[in-house]
Amino acid sequence: TIETGSIVNVTVVGHPEFSQTVVVHDDGTTDYPLLGNVPIDGMSPEDLNQLLTSVLKRVIDRPLVFVNLSHYAMVELRVVGAVQAPGDTEVRAPADIQNVLASAGGPEPEADLRRVAIIRETESGRVVQQVNLLDYASQDPDSFEPVYVLPGDLVVVPLLERDSYVRVIGAVNIPGPYVPDNNATVIDMIYLAGGPSRFADLNHVRYIQMDDGVGKRETMLDMEDMLERGTDYPQ
């Protein structure tokens, strides 16, 4: 659809005086002479084509009109922290927080998606909005509430704190750090990491716990046996 900031190309075949490129103003209007103060934001190019054709019929016999959009309004902002490509970025408006992270190459594996911050400078001072992207992505589609960014915003993606994640390494399909849900078990973490690869030896899974003040404690787990017997897996 046509939005504020869109650049609209109007071509009227055989009539260069009516062929123009115009910008959609904040109030939805343009400087196209025959439209006056008619707002066109929210229309599709096809809707505008029909409107222009009906208007041009007053001055042209059987006008042939083409309408296309060559540009969309963009939101310029900065993304810093645990993303693949931190720095300044542009996102097509309206831009929600997921669009922004995608434009920055996506989060790093060590990103703490529960504590993403949108920092906005306003006339009354700095405003910080905290977003838990894990909850954001799991919203019910029928009641989904997007979190939009504005031009000039700063989006900060922090790193996971060491005591907030479990690192899964070795013969799994997607090794890396993962945030466990409540009551998550060792097998849950293995499948969060994409499950065991075809080279995995599930009879010898090393479970290393880091205990403050005690050091590390290692347990060898026979996950094949646990899976067969359906025993309780270590949390």
Side-chain angles (χ1 to χ4, degrees), residues 15-224:
H15 295 274
E17 69 276 19
F18 293 120
S19 299
Q20 295 189 16
T21 298
V22 294
V23 178
V24 181
H25 303 312
D26 290 341
D27 60 359
T29 64
T30 69
D31 294 327
Y32 193 81
L34 297 183
L35 288 179
N37 294 321
V38 176
I40 64 170
D41 57 326
M43 291 185 179
S44 68
E46 292 77 15
D47 295 334
L48 181 58
N49 192 313
Q50 293 178 8
L51 174 61
L52 288 172
T53 299
S54 64
V55 171
L56 286 163
K57 281 181 179 179
R58 303 170 187 170
V59 292
I60 299 174
D61 184 33
R62 300 174 66 182
L64 183 57
V65 181
F66 294 93
V67 174
N68 65 74
L69 305 182
S70 61
H71 184 68
Y72 290 93
M74 302 297 289
V75 175
E76 297 181 4
L77 70 162
R78 173 167 291 189
V79 185
V80 298
V83 291
Q84 302 285 345
D88 295 333
T89 188
E90 281 190 340
V91 189
R92 176 180 161 183
D96 79 344
I97 187 64
Q98 285 187 308
N99 299 141
V100 171
L101 293 191
S103 73
E108 294 277 5
E110 294 83 6
D112 188 349
L113 298 181
R114 301 167 304 173
R115 298 188 299 116
V116 176
I118 302 172
I119 301 174
R120 182 172 302 150
E121 300 292 345
T122 68
E123 293 181 358
S124 56
R126 174 174 293 183
V127 176
V128 180
Q129 180 179 5
Q130 197 97 359
V131 182
N132 184 333
L133 272 181
L134 300 183
D135 292 341
Y136 183 76
S138 62
Q139 291 185 73
D140 186 335
D142 294 332
S143 57
F144 184 79
E145 295 185 8
V147 175
Y148 291 113
V149 296
L150 297 177
D153 282 353
L154 174 65
V155 176
V156 181
V157 183
L159 286 167
L160 285 166
E161 297 175 357
R162 183 169 178 174
D163 61 356
S164 66
Y165 66 87
V166 172
R167 185 175 294 276
V168 187
I169 60 175
V172 289
N173 289 304
I174 315 173
Y178 292 90
V179 178
D181 294 330
N182 291 335
N183 302 316
T185 66
V186 170
I187 197 69
D188 293 328
M189 303 314 297
I190 291 173
Y191 280 96
L192 269 180
S197 74
R198 61 192 182 93
F199 302 107
D201 180 4
L202 292 179
N203 297 114
H204 300 89
V205 175
R206 297 172 61 195
Y207 174 34
I208 302 172
Q209 294 170 282
M210 307 302 292
D211 293 332
D212 292 339
V214 179
K216 69 178 183 179
R217 184 175 63 206
E218 181 173 338
T219 306
M220 190 69 72
L221 303 175
D222 186 342
M223 300 303 298
E224 288 276 15

